[in-house]
Amino acid sequence: MEDTFRDNRCAYVTITPRRERSRTIEACGSGVRKNFSEVFVDEYEATVKLRVA
């Protein structure tokens, strides 16, 4: 994901699988890009949310 605006806010992606703890990745600052890959063992479903705060 990438923070594309100079607004002093951050972009967040939260991944919540059914049986494990959620994980949050953040990108703060204009032009900051975060590549991510998450593996959850024996999980086949997750909720993914993008937010700006």
Side-chain angles (χ1 to χ4, degrees), residues 19-39:
R19 294 184 297 263
E20 292 188 37
R21 293 180 46 203
S22 64
R23 297 179 188 164
T24 301
I25 300 94
E26 68 177 43
C28 296
S30 180
V32 173
R33 177 177 290 187
K34 294 285 178 115
N35 296 321
F36 61 92
S37 175
E38 297 293 328
V39 176

